[in-house]
Amino acid sequence: MQTETPLLTAADVRIAADRIRPHARRTPLLELEIDDRRVLLKLEYLQRGGSFKLRGALNALLSGPLDRHVVAASGGNHGLAVATAASLLGVSATVYVPKTAPEGKTRRIEARGARLVRHGATFAEAAVAAAETAARPGHRFLHPYDDPAVVAGQGTVAAEIVADAPDVDTLVVAAGGGGLAAGTALAGAGRRVVAVEPENCRCLHDALAAGKPVESAVDSVAASATGASRVGNIPFTVLAARDEVSSVLVGEEEILRARDRLWEECRIAVEPAAALPFAAWLAGRVPGDLPCLVLCGANTDWAAG
């Protein structure tokens, strides 16, 4: 039986912000002038667990009675967020990842005390196995993006930006399954929202073009964080209904150049997916006089060369 997609509003994000405040960091903003243009960076990679994903995991787990055991499937960042949130809240966790998940992420998941299971070649295959485990009594499956409490939690990133820099006119985020982009649209108070994806890892872009979620290829240097093959139904419902949301694609070389330039210009070391907004901005694909680019994660093993 099909269930109706929950209606999310900015009020859900405000509730989430209050709920997660004791556990999540309020990450800073950095104002820069690069190429004679003014820009703000939201340093969300400084979040506990190394990415914005902790916010959604915390909000989902705190939205009701705590289950004895939480189960997640992830390319890496959501799994690390669930492991971190579970550790903070005193519950146990199992995280399924595809066999291709980066060692820099899987190592950190295990270090947080979660049981790590490598299964399948893709996130989708790992998710099937995770859902089977989560069907046990006392267990709960926590989806990385197609969960209303997760989306509301991710929206707290944008809520902080708007509160700290009300003059910001454009919010720019990386998009995978759409949770961060949808949360940003909810909390952006009508500001433009630009969702950036790799050219060959573009499930949100394809869904917006088709008018519904569709299957898309997953092939990018950023795929461990943006590797959803299909945008979530809940994020899509939020994003497709808003005229202020636009989709932008960037190429692989643009992603890597942006990541390297963040290091050279600012000594900021992030994973490729976190450089997507900066890549789009450098390429002139971001509108607005004062955009804020969310640098969403840094769960990688960095090697400058």
Side-chain angles (χ1 to χ4, degrees):
M1 187 176 76
Q2 236 180 359
T3 57
E4 189 175 340
T5 301
L7 177 65
L8 286 167
T9 69
D12 294 295
V13 178
R14 291 192 290 270
I15 292 168
D18 290 338
R19 189 179 282 139
I20 71 173
R21 189 170 290 117
H23 307 287
R25 293 172 182 157
R26 188 183 184 99
T27 53
L29 287 175
L30 176 64
E31 182 173 347
L32 298 172
E33 188 171 291
I34 296 177
D35 295 341
D36 298 320
R37 292 186 288 159
R38 187 180 171 210
V39 67
L40 292 178
L41 305 180
K42 175 67 166 170
L43 307 185
E44 185 61 17
Y45 67 94
L46 297 175
Q47 185 57 258
R48 279 176 160 177
S51 87
F52 74 97
K53 292 279 191 177
L54 179 70
R55 297 170 182 265
L58 280 170
N59 191 49
L61 290 177
L62 291 169
S63 293
L66 284 174
D67 297 276
R68 186 175 74 244
H69 195 97
V70 62
V71 183
S74 171
N77 283 342
H78 173 65
L80 182 51
V82 169
T84 303
S87 176
L88 288 168
L89 300 177
V91 299
S92 58
T94 297
V95 177
Y96 284 76
V97 298
K99 293 177 182 177
T100 54
E103 197 275 335
K105 296 184 179 183
T106 58
R107 183 182 72 248
R108 292 178 174 97
I109 291 169
E110 291 185 302
R112 293 297 192 279
R115 173 175 171 255
L116 180 78
V117 180
R118 294 175 175 85
H119 180 89
T122 64
F123 163 75
E125 292 175 2
V128 170
E132 291 173 357
T133 297
R136 300 173 185 172
H139 288 52
R140 174 187 177 183
F141 180 66
L142 184 53
H143 200 283
Y145 48 85
D146 211 11
D147 181 308
V150 169
V151 171
Q154 316 306 30
T156 62
V157 178
E160 290 178 6
I161 296 169
V162 170
D164 292 344
D167 291 344
V168 162
D169 53 15
T170 307
L171 302 165
V172 192
V173 298
L180 178 59
T184 300
L186 290 171
R191 291 169 176 81
R192 283 176 295 227
V193 175
V194 178
V196 188
E197 296 171 282
E199 288 177 349
N200 298 318
C201 202
R202 49 194 281 175
C203 66
L204 174 59
H205 185 88
D206 289 349
L208 292 172
K212 62 181 180 180
V214 293
E215 292 294 323
S216 297
V218 175
D219 182 17
S220 172
V221 68
S224 71
T226 63
S229 61
R230 186 183 181 96
V231 71
N233 291 323
I234 292 168
F236 179 77
T237 299
V238 172
L239 295 165
R242 293 174 178 264
D243 293 336
E244 68 269 26
V245 175
S246 60
S247 171
V248 167
L249 301 176
V250 291
E252 298 294 288
E253 290 186 7
E254 290 177 309
I255 297 168
L256 294 176
R257 282 199 302 268
R259 181 202 61 178
D260 292 346
R261 192 164 179 191
L262 281 168
W263 174 250
E264 290 300 324
E265 295 264 356
C266 312
R267 291 299 184 264
I268 289 175
V270 295
E271 61 188 284
L276 289 169
F278 191 52
W281 182 79
L282 287 173
R285 296 174 203 147
V286 172
D289 296 321
L290 184 58
C292 183
L293 319 179
V294 178
L295 304 186
C296 59
N299 289 315
T300 187
D301 288 329
W302 181 262

